[in-house]
Amino acid sequence: AKADGRGTYCFFRDEMARSVEARRILELDLRRALANDEFELYYQPLVNLKTGRITTCEALLRWNHPMRGTVSPIDIIPVAEEMGLIVDLGRWILRRACMECMRWPDGVSVAVNFSSQQFHQRDVIDEVHYALQASGLPAERLEIEITESSLMRNTQWTLDALQQLRSAGVRIALDDFGTGYSSLSYLHNFPLQKVKIDRSFLVGIETHRPLTLLRGVARLSAELGMSVVVEGVETNEQLELIGADGTVTEAQGYLFSRPVPASRIRELLTASHAR
Ligand code: C2E
Ligand code: CA
Ligand code: CA
Ligand code: CA
């Protein structure tokens, strides 16, 4: 038993050393990557269900790592937040996305994800103004996606920031709605223009219950004056079910397109807007 115990201990210690080391390498790597221009934005369309046209493209971060290949944003964002690198990285993402949107047909907007830490920076409003000014993008073509975690802290400050963005003409979307700390009160307490219903609502939608839930949330959001997006639509059956009652305005998911590089999204937009 003693030997086992020691073995286990050694194993843990090695694992910990490895993960601390791995983490340190990742941090150094992230700083280098920003300087070396290894980040890239992919774009995924949101499609209007009535017109079938692309209304918005969401910018999604990718890291082309020289050794590890493509690294997921799920692994990048939390580390960048802890390192304090999210401010620089977020600024790069916002500016790049605004510049790319300028190359798209006039009616198409860009959606940019803001992590909670990025949103709660003191000068977030200036960052947004600067990105719009530097790119020449009209504010009406920028949508900022925040999650419920951004609404949970520092309520008065958050309310002010959202109101300033709204008066500037920028739209705010509540991302991943229905996950985490969902509270219906967020929907009427904050000035939000769009709700993105999380794709977990589509799981088992062919059976009655989740569909009732999704429709309830969609109707409530629509009645509060927000447009409603359903994320993660993968099948025609799901599309028919969510579109049936006319409440859902837009959909996004692999059924329409996976996230694609900038050059490919321009091709998709040209095709969508030529019709
Ligand atoms: P999200 O904002 O909810 O983005 C949607 C995620 O769902 C994307 O994953 C997208 O590729 C994926 N997705 C889209 N359609 C489908 C579908 O039909 N089926 C399935 N299974 N998945 C679908 P991705 O690109 O890996 O991004 C993951 C998360 O990382 C994002 O979730 C967002 O929270 C975060 N993220 C990505 N880019 C950025 C960024 O630029 N800034 C910040 N702060 N976060 C980002
Ligand atoms: Ca998002
Ligand atoms: Ca989402
Ligand atoms: Ca998500």
Side-chain angles (χ1 to χ4, degrees):
K2 214 174 173 182
D4 280 1
R6 225 170 43 212
T8 308
Y9 173 70
C10 285
F11 171 74
F12 266 146
R13 199 184 50 191
D14 288 354
E15 277 292 286
M16 267 166 58
R18 255 206 302 279
S19 73
V20 169
E21 178 67 8
R23 178 57 177 260
R24 207 180 58 83
I25 291 173
L26 180 60
E27 289 194 8
L28 289 173
D29 246 16
L30 275 173
R31 289 192 203 285
R32 184 191 45 77
L34 195 58
N36 284 4
D37 213 24
E38 286 171 18
F39 292 111
E40 184 180 357
L41 294 181
Y42 273 39
Y43 297 90
Q44 189 183 33
L46 277 70
V47 175
N48 180 296
L49 292 186
K50 288 216 174 76
T51 65
R53 283 191 163 206
I54 299 174
T55 58
T56 310
C57 298
E58 179 178 1
L60 294 160
L61 184 67
R62 298 291 181 267
W63 179 12
N64 302 310
H65 192 281
M67 313 289 279
R68 291 195 286 171
T70 305
V71 184
S72 159
I74 307 268
D75 296 322
I76 305 169
I77 301 293
V79 180
E81 287 202 313
E82 277 178 48
M83 288 169 66
L85 191 70
I86 193 69
V87 175
D88 290 340
L89 182 58
R91 178 183 300 132
W92 179 88
I93 293 167
L94 178 62
R95 291 185 186 179
R96 173 62 65 95
C98 289
M99 288 191 302
E100 188 58 37
C101 185
M102 284 296 283
R103 307 178 67 175
W104 301 344
D106 272 352
V108 182
S109 301
V110 69
V112 178
N113 291 286
F114 273 35
S115 75
S116 177
Q117 232 188 75
Q118 191 186 352
F119 183 71
H120 283 272
Q121 291 169 67
R122 223 182 319 112
D123 56 355
V124 65
I125 306 293
D126 294 339
E127 288 284 347
V128 172
H129 280 301
Y130 190 84
L132 291 171
Q133 211 168 54
S135 61
L137 187 74
E140 293 67 31
R141 293 177 67 187
L142 175 63
E143 213 161 88
I144 292 174
E145 297 194 0
I146 59 173
T147 59
E148 288 152 313
S149 61
S150 287
L151 301 179
M152 288 171 60
R153 49 197 261 218
N154 213 344
T155 305
Q156 190 55 50
W157 183 94
T158 302
L159 205 52
D160 288 347
L162 292 174
Q163 267 152 4
Q164 284 184 60
L165 289 169
R166 183 175 61 175
S167 23
V170 174
R171 284 188 306 280
I172 306 291
L174 185 58
D175 201 1
D176 297 346
F177 189 75
T179 61
Y181 311 93
S182 293
S183 160
L184 294 177
S185 70
Y186 292 144
L187 297 181
H188 67 260
N189 287 340
F190 293 97
L192 305 164
Q193 285 76 54
K194 195 181 257 195
V195 172
K196 297 186 79 174
I197 300 179
D198 191 73
R199 71 185 168 84
S200 56
F201 280 82
L202 293 179
V203 176
I205 196 174
E206 301 78 6
T207 65
H208 191 63
R209 258 179 70 83
L211 183 60
T212 306
L213 207 59
L214 185 146
R215 284 194 178 145
V217 172
R219 282 194 191 129
L220 184 71
S221 308
E223 271 168 37
L224 290 167
M226 289 172 272
S227 45
V228 183
V229 185
V230 175
E231 299 189 277
V233 178
E234 294 181 355
T235 68
N236 273 308
E237 188 182 8
Q238 290 172 338
L239 181 63
E240 272 163 35
L241 288 169
I242 64 164
D245 71 348
T247 314
V248 174
T249 13
E250 288 158 287
Q252 177 180 13
Y254 294 167
L255 178 65
F256 304 101
S257 169
R258 289 188 172 253
V260 294
S263 58
R264 178 79 186 117
I265 202 72
R266 287 199 294 273
E267 291 168 16
L268 289 178
L269 287 170
T270 311
S272 160
H273 283 254
R275 264 187 283 132

